[in-house]
């Protein structure tokens, strides 16, 4: 219904807007299924009192983010939220598209690591490459793709652009060609403390990518899930 359509101007006594919790709610006609629709004059939110379609509930997206971060798979998340897997996949992709990359501050030290995994079947190998800022342990950049230098380089380029002070990697040969010698170090974990942090992340990532890949079968969804996991 368009904003200009006429609506009954009687302000409801007992309905609060679920979005802004204001009382300036007016009736706004009926839905296709003859449910009373309401309109909030404060925040322009349209809603009905009880949703049959669970996906339209306001906090559904919040719950999707929460469950995804816990490492739950697509099917279990859909089951818990009582929505279809198709809707869930669409939602995950749309949530992820609104997440912006973190701004990388200059002159920091990073750790770059790659995880090998597969999509669809076991012969279809891909890499998940990610960069951790050493102090904050935050993932500042990641990329998913074929096991080529190009996939590695996407992540390395963003680090170079932010004037990385030092980049730590494992002994994978590819890095030697991609990173300047004075920036590069293969001596990985200085202390046990950092090693421990990395382990937690890697364990979690492995579980995450195993589960999502089983069900999503696509790079788009996998990338979206990672975006939610890292940056929300
Ligand atoms: Zn409102």
């Amino acid at each position: 219904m368009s904003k200009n359509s006429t609506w009954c101007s009687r302000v409801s006594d007992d309905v609060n807007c679920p979005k802004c919790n204001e009382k300036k709610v007016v009736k706004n006609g009926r839905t296709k299924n003859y449910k009373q629709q309401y309109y909030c004059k404060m925040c322009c939110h349209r809603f009905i009192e009880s949703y049959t379609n669970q996906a339209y509930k306001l906090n559904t997206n919040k719950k999707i983010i929460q469950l995804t971060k816990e490492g739950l798979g697509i099917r279990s998340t859909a089951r818990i939220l009582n929505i279809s897997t198709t809707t869930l996949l669409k939602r995950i992709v749309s949530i992820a598209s609104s997440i912006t990359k973190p701004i990388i501050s200059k002159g920091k030290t990073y750790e770059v690591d790659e995880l090998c995994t597969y999509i669809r079947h076991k012969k279809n190998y891909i890499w998940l490459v990610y960069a951790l800022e050493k102090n904050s342990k935050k993932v500042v950049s990641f990329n998913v793709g074929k096991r080529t230098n190009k996939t590695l380089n996407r992540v390395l380029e963003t680090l170079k652009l932010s004037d990385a002070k030092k980049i730590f990697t494992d002994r994978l040969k590819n890095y030697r060609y991609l990173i300047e010698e004075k920036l590069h170090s293969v001596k990985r974990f200085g202390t046990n403390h950092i090693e421990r942090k990395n382990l937690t992340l890697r364990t979690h990532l492995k579980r995450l990518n195993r589960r999502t890949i089983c069900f999503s079968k696509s790079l788009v969804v996998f990338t979206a899930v990672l975006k939610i996991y890292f940056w929300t």
Side-chain angles (χ1 to χ4, degrees):
M1 215 170 276
S2 84
K3 228 178 175 181
N4 302 326
S5 66
T6 52
W7 58 66
C8 171
S9 62
R10 193 173 70 100
V11 177
S12 162
D13 302 322
D14 42 284
V15 187
N16 279 31
C17 170
K19 202 172 180 183
C20 66
N21 216 17
E22 290 287 336
K23 278 218 163 181
K24 295 236 169 188
V25 171
V26 293
K27 286 184 178 175
N28 187 219
R30 300 228 167 217
T31 65
K32 266 190 280 180
N33 304 326
Y34 299 105
K35 281 187 178 175
Q36 179 65 56
Q37 194 175 37
Y38 296 96
Y39 175 80
C40 172
K41 281 184 157 180
M42 297 302 285
C43 69
C44 301
H45 179 62
R46 273 192 187 82
F47 61 95
I48 55 176
E49 243 170 329
S50 65
Y51 283 94
T52 327
N53 190 339
Q54 301 296 318
Y56 282 109
K57 280 189 178 168
L58 260 179
N59 56 357
T60 300
N61 278 9
K62 242 187 236 167
K63 282 188 183 155
I64 290 174
I65 293 173
Q66 206 182 359
L67 295 173
T68 304
K69 288 186 89 162
E70 285 293 323
L72 238 69
I74 301 295
R75 293 223 184 133
S76 21
T77 307
R79 229 172 3 243
I80 288 170
L81 297 179
N82 208 0
I83 59 181
S84 75
T85 47
T86 324
T87 312
L88 178 62
L89 291 175
K90 276 188 200 158
R91 283 291 175 99
I92 285 177
V93 173
S94 89
I95 291 169
S97 68
S98 63
I99 299 171
T100 46
K101 274 189 180 186
I103 298 159
I104 313 178
S105 41
K106 302 212 165 191
K108 300 266 173 155
T109 309
Y110 302 97
E111 265 176 48
V112 177
D113 206 357
E114 78 290 332
L115 262 175
C116 191
T117 181
Y118 55 88
I119 270 192
R120 264 181 225 181
H121 46 83
K122 285 200 169 168
K123 278 178 187 164
N124 203 358
Y125 283 112
I126 54 155
W127 259 341
L128 159 62
V129 188
Y130 63 97
L132 276 177
E133 204 265 286
K134 231 173 155 78
N135 283 328
S136 62
K137 314 287 179 313
K138 290 249 167 71
V139 174
V140 289
S141 176
F142 77 93
N143 189 24
V144 190
K146 285 182 192 157
R147 292 192 301 168
T148 59
N149 282 354
K150 209 175 149 192
T151 306
L152 291 175
N153 218 12
R154 272 265 184 88
V155 173
L156 296 173
E157 280 302 322
T158 50
L159 300 185
K160 283 174 198 165
L161 280 174
S162 63
D163 293 328
K165 212 164 80 187
K166 201 104 202 166
I167 301 172
F168 291 84
T169 68
D170 54 21
R171 286 172 205 281
L172 190 80
K173 274 182 186 165
N174 305 44
Y175 290 120
R176 258 192 268 160
Y177 306 108
L178 297 170
I179 310 170
E180 265 181 87
E181 214 178 313
K182 60 172 182 172
L183 276 180
H184 193 199
S185 174
V186 286
K187 230 172 70 185
R188 271 184 93 196
F189 315 116
T191 64
N192 287 338
H193 184 68
I194 291 169
E195 198 169 340
R196 178 71 226 139
K197 274 269 182 189
N198 270 297
L199 252 154
T200 326
L201 178 73
R202 221 164 309 132
T203 323
H204 211 133
L205 273 176
K206 251 181 205 144
R207 190 171 26 178
L208 188 79
N209 77 44
R210 192 185 65 227
R211 291 212 171 141
T212 46
I213 280 179
C214 307
F215 297 119
S216 73
K217 294 176 182 142
S218 98
L219 268 184
V220 180
V221 177
F222 182 45
T223 313
V225 168
L226 288 171
K227 235 175 155 185
I228 292 173
Y229 180 71
F230 289 144
W231 296 333
T232 53

